[in-house]
Amino acid sequence: MDVLNKIPVREQDPQERAHNFEEVCLGYNEEEAKCEASRCINCKNAQCIKGCPVAINIPGFIEQVKEGNFEKAYQVISESSALPAVCGRVCPQESQCEGKCIRGIKGDPISIGKLERFVADWARENGIKPEGAKELNGKKVAVIGSGPAGLTCAGDLAKLGYDVTIFEALHEAGGVLVYGIPEFRLPKDAVVKKEIENVQSLGVKIETDVVIGKSTTIDELMDEEGFDAVFIGSGAGLPKFMGIPGEQANGVFSANEYLTRSNLMKAFKEGSNTPIMHAKKVAVVGGGNVAMDAARTALRLGAEVHIVYRRSEEELPARVEEVHHAKEEGIIFDLLTNPVEILADENGWVSGIKCIRMELGEPDASGRRRPVEVPGSEFTMDVDCVIMSLGTSPNPLISSTTKGLEVNKWKCIVADEEHGKTTKEGVYAGGDAVTGAATVILAMGAGKAAAKGIHEYLSNK
């Protein structure tokens, strides 16, 4: 066996998958998983664990996979992660666990993410559930938001014996996992719903259509409904725009709205009646993972798609795998390009986007070279839809209706990094509501830290 090179992962053919919403990556089978696991050298000082925001015992579960003990491998993962089938698909392993893998110094790192996905999928197919608490401890915790931070915090607290209720604003639980990440990367029925059911199997209750700040408030939950502590994992769903002329034209979407229409409202299904189906040529402004998701969704809905990004390919913040898949599928990358105006026809619909060429200057505060305009390089791109994927910020509804809850200048909730403790006693927060838009696994790490903080707080109260 070649120990230096990872076992290849089977994928849908690019020409086929560009026209369907089936999952792109097909994952490992049992034999492939055991072969890949056998490449692990089981380091004594495992750097991969240090690279994991939820500190999964990675060598421990991989050792079980190597031996064919898949159920035991699942229980090892479940001690640390509430959403292994999700993380195995969407985590940026290349910059986290796999980025620190010692095997990767000479050869390819272990495919930790693909092995985690295999174990979680095997457990689901074989009806294996995570192990919960033996009895309740008599204390109630409210969790706001059923995204990765909320689900993780709720799952960890339930395992410790707390009576946990999640309050979700939308009609379906899952947060960004259901409205933000496309079906071809993260299947909703087969993966997300099953992971949520696993959290519920621990005793967690989920109430949908509850908008905290409107339906009820945090103060009311604590003062009137008897919750001993609250975790805010409400995410960052407020989209940002450029502020350029023409952004009010019909056919201009935030990536959030566009993806929600497709993922949650199922715009891709035959017979769907929603405006995103009508675009023939789409410009997606931005270069992150959400931009790739929006672009690849638009492609599957029948459009020619351009990624418009003001920096070069080296500065693209999206995962390398997502950029690779987008290129394979036929997405066109217009790099070092920045929009300056959106054009509209006499009926108010997008008819084009005026852009200017950019070049990279000196590094800015982030360390990336700052893009500067090239004088006289303006041109017009003929498009009928523009999707703005420029990041998001937290909705101020919760903070504005909660006494004593401090926010910073970006409207993010102020909370300490170690345990997510806010300025209001008994209230903790984590994930995008605190940091602004980030990754699923970082939100999970914040949810895990907050669960520990809440447990310490209520144990000492």
Side-chain angles (χ1 to χ4, degrees):
M1 175 186 164
D2 181 1
V3 297
L4 295 181
N5 297 309
K6 64 176 65 175
I7 302 296
V9 181
R10 292 164 288 116
E11 295 179 344
Q12 264 201 84
D13 179 83
Q15 300 307 312
E16 291 181 11
R17 71 182 191 237
H19 303 287
N20 67 57
F21 279 81
E22 301 299 317
E23 192 168 12
V24 169
C25 179
L26 304 178
Y28 285 144
N29 59 31
E30 290 189 14
E31 195 55 43
E32 290 166 339
K34 287 195 286 187
C35 284
E36 180 62 21
S38 67
R39 295 181 57 239
C40 178
I41 56 179
N42 202 7
C43 308
K44 290 182 179 178
N45 183 19
Q47 297 300 304
C48 54
I49 298 177
K50 297 177 182 178
C52 175
V54 295
I56 292 171
N57 180 0
I58 293 168
F61 97 77
I62 289 180
E63 181 67 22
Q64 297 301 326
V65 173
K66 182 167 66 175
E67 300 299 326
N69 300 327
F70 305 136
E71 182 174 353
K72 177 62 177 174
Y74 177 72
Q75 297 301 349
V76 171
I77 295 173
S78 295
E79 290 172 3
S80 304
S81 175
L83 307 169
V86 169
C87 290
R89 287 167 165 83
V90 303
C91 276
Q93 290 97 1
E94 66 275 6
S95 62
Q96 294 178 160
C97 54
E98 293 179 18
K100 294 187 178 295
C101 175
I102 300 300
R103 170 59 75 193
I105 295 174
K106 293 183 179 179
D108 295 333
I110 306 301
S111 291
I112 298 168
K114 297 298 187 291
L115 289 175
E116 181 182 19
R117 168 191 164 146
F118 165 77
V119 170
D121 288 355
W122 184 94
R124 181 182 68 249
E125 290 160 7
N126 287 274
I128 309 301
K129 300 281 186 182
E131 297 174 354
K134 298 273 191 300
E135 57 185 27
L136 293 178
N137 61 23
K139 294 180 180 178
K140 290 173 60 179
V141 179
V143 171
I144 301 171
S146 63
L151 289 169
T152 298
C153 185
D156 278 15
L157 288 170
K159 289 176 185 177
L160 292 167
Y162 290 92
D163 179 359
V164 184
T165 302
I166 296 176
F167 296 97
E168 168 57 47
L170 294 176
H171 64 280
E172 192 170 324
V176 70
L177 305 176
V178 293
Y179 73 73
I181 303 175
E183 189 79 13
F184 53 83
R185 278 219 294 141
L186 187 62
K188 306 300 172 254
D189 289 338
V191 175
V192 177
K193 286 185 179 178
K194 298 298 183 184
E195 297 270 77
I196 293 172
E197 287 171 8
N198 283 346
V199 173
Q200 290 175 298
S201 74
L202 298 170
V204 174
K205 297 180 288 291
I206 300 177
E207 293 189 22
T208 56
D209 298 310
V210 180
V211 181
I212 303 298
K214 289 286 188 182
S215 309
T216 187
T217 66
I218 288 177
D219 293 318
E220 289 169 346
L221 289 175
M222 300 183 80
D223 297 339
E224 299 174 18
E225 298 191 36
F227 285 97
D228 299 290
V230 175
F231 172 72
I232 304 171
S234 51
L238 198 62
K240 297 177 182 177
F241 288 87
M242 293 185 71
I244 59 176
E247 276 187 321
Q248 302 304 316
N250 296 322
V252 178
F253 297 90
S254 69
N256 255 30
E257 179 187 353
Y258 192 87
L259 289 168
T260 299
R261 286 180 178 273
S262 178
N263 299 332
L264 194 61
M265 301 166 68
K266 308 301 180 188
F268 60 86
K269 288 191 174 179
E270 193 170 341
S272 172
N273 183 23
T274 177
I276 70 172
M277 297 293 288
H278 303 321
K280 297 291 182 269
K281 191 171 181 181
V282 175
V284 179
V285 182
N289 290 324
V290 176
M292 299 305 145
D293 285 344
R296 296 172 69 197
T297 295
L299 180 80
R300 284 160 170 77
L301 292 174
E304 176 188 306
V305 184
H306 294 248
I307 291 279
V308 179
Y309 181 61
R310 64 185 186 146
R311 287 183 162 98
S312 70
E313 184 166 348
E314 286 183 8
E315 285 80 29
L316 279 169
R319 292 182 66 192
V320 172
E321 182 179 57
E322 299 308 314
V323 175
H324 171 68
H325 282 159
K327 286 183 174 180
E328 279 190 328
E329 292 164 7
I331 304 292
I332 300 162
F333 283 72
D334 292 295
L335 303 173
L336 291 169
T337 301
N338 203 37
V340 293
E341 183 180 359
I342 296 171
L343 308 175
D345 62 21
E346 63 276 9
N347 296 315
W349 286 88
V350 172
S351 62
I353 184 168
K354 190 180 290 185
C355 300
I356 190 167
R357 300 292 184 192
M358 311 293 285
E359 60 185 9
L360 296 179
E362 295 300 313
D364 61 16
S366 69
R368 295 184 299 175
R369 293 174 65 192
R370 185 188 303 275
V372 293
E373 295 182 353
V374 177
S377 63
E378 295 88 349
F379 70 98
T380 298
M381 187 182 295
D382 181 26
V383 298
D384 59 359
C385 175
V386 178
I387 302 171
M388 292 292 183
S389 183
L390 307 169
T392 54
S393 59
N395 189 313
L397 180 61
I398 290 175
S399 58
S400 66
T401 57
T402 306
K403 296 174 185 175
L405 192 64
E406 187 180 332
V407 296
N408 61 24
K409 63 180 180 180
W410 298 285
K411 305 300 182 185
C412 294
I413 296 169
V414 174
D416 76 75
E417 285 188 25
E418 186 178 5
H419 290 139
K421 185 177 180 181
T422 72
T423 53
K424 183 177 178 66
E425 185 179 352
V427 177
Y428 292 71
D432 293 1
V434 171
T435 62
T439 62
V440 167
I441 189 64
L442 288 176
M444 289 178 64
K448 194 171 191 65
K452 184 178 179 183
I454 289 171
H455 179 53
E456 289 180 3
Y457 167 72
L458 292 179
S459 297
N460 294 327
K461 189 176 178 182

